[in-house]
């Protein structure tokens, strides 16, 4: 491939990575990285004229065609820890429950992936059917560690809990105590309990830690069977770790809050935690506990950032509701923004 391919960079990606010198350097290098991978893997970009590629928080994805005519997707991510280990998890899964990895290049954080249907995710699937699909995929993704070298690349969830035990109190003080102490203590109790159990249990699995509705896309050749089992869908963007599989339930609880019953959204949230846990054969109580800790960690991150007050309120609503004492100072559940909806420009 000799012809230069012009790929427009999505404005939100440009805005996000223009805020640091490392981000600006990556944005400047991105056209060359893209062109290099297109040429090396003999790909043709299939973007419509004037269309932007798909993108998430940490990279972009371009629909491409391989030299043999096979549709695929080229992903190039900003080189951060989660992006560096993604290819190892996809290699272990081998296309079972997750998008299939076709090629990868560690130096550019680039991957060539099976092309999924970016317009059909679990975000718009009825919750009962979504639980069935999610549970089936979760069972496929929960691999037990073996002797393959990729397992050495992942952090342990129990270690994350131990880190939070030290970091959360300091961040809570630094951010001016943005929520009541009892909620912080509830998260710390989870960290201490689950961290100790996780170190002792010996039941570790590979965990997709960002396993929410938008990160589950349909396989385009299974339109008639998409809701029959997990086989018609595949997970993307895994942010992989090793540890208790119940850690994966939490992102389902801070997304699609607008779908909770208006009559009792608090009980609806707790019921969703139970329903998805049961669908995957998980312990709903352990999932609830991890949800508290993960959302308190999220809340402290949002408290440190301008323009994230709605996100902060959502995390506090979820964490306190899971803890059984919904904070009364928060907006109503159906007024809370979905992740990514709030203005984040600095």
């Amino acid at each position: 491939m000799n012809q230069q391919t012009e790929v427009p960079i999505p404005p939100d990606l440009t805005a996000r990575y223009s805020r640091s010198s490392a981000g600006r350097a990556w944005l400047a290098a991105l056209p060359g990285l893209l062109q290099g991978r297109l040429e090396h893997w003999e790909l043709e970009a299939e973007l419509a004229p004037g269309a932007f590629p798909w993108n998430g928080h940490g990279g972009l994805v371009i629909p491409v065609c391989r030299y043999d005519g096979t549709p695929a997707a080229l992903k190039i991510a900003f080189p951060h820890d989660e992006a560096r280990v993604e290819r190892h998890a996809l290699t272990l899964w081998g296309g079972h429950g997750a998008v299939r990895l076709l090629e990868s290049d560690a130096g550019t954080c680039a991957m060539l992936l099976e092309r999924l249907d970016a317009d059909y995710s679990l975000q718009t699937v009825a919750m009962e059917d979504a639980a069935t699909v999610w549970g089936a995929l979760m069972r496929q993704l929960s691999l037990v560690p073996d002797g393959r070298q990729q397992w050495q690349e992942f952090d342990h969830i129990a270690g994350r809990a131990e880190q939070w035990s030290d970091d959360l109190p300091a961040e809570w003080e630094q951010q001016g105590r943005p929520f009541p102490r009892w909620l912080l203590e509830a998260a710390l109790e989870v960290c201490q309990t689950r961290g100790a159990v996780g170190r002792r249990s010996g039941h570790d699995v590979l965990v997709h830690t960002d396993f929410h509705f938008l990160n589950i896309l349909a396989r385009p050749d299974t339109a008639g069977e998409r809701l029959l089992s997990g086989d018609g869908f595949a997970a993307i963007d895994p942010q992989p770790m090793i540890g208790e599989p119940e850690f994966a339930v939490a992102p389902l609880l801070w997304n699609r809050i607008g779908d909770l019953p208006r009559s009792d959204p608090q009980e609806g949230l707790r019921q969703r935690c139970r329903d998805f846990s049961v669908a995957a054969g998980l312990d709903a109580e352990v999932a609830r506990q991890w949800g508290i800790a993960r959302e308190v960690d999220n809340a402290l991150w949002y408290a440190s950032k301008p323009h994230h007050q709605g996100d902060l309120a959502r995390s506090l609503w979820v964490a306190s509701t899971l803890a059984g004492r919904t904070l009364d100072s928060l907006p109503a559940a159906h007024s809370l923004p979905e992740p990514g909806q709030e203005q984040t420009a600095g």
Side-chain angles (χ1 to χ4, degrees), residues 41-46 63-72 115:
W41 287 331
E42 299 181 68
L43 309 172
E44 292 284 350
E46 293 194 326
V64 296
C65 183
R66 303 185 79 183
Y67 59 87
D68 61 359
T70 305
R115 192 190 300 182

Side-chain angles (χ1 to χ4, degrees), residues 119-139:
D119 295 322
Y120 195 149
S121 73
L122 280 197
Q123 184 73 7
T124 56
V125 172
M127 200 62 68
E128 181 177 354
D129 293 326
T132 299
V133 172
W134 189 92
L137 291 176
M138 187 70 196
R139 292 173 188 270

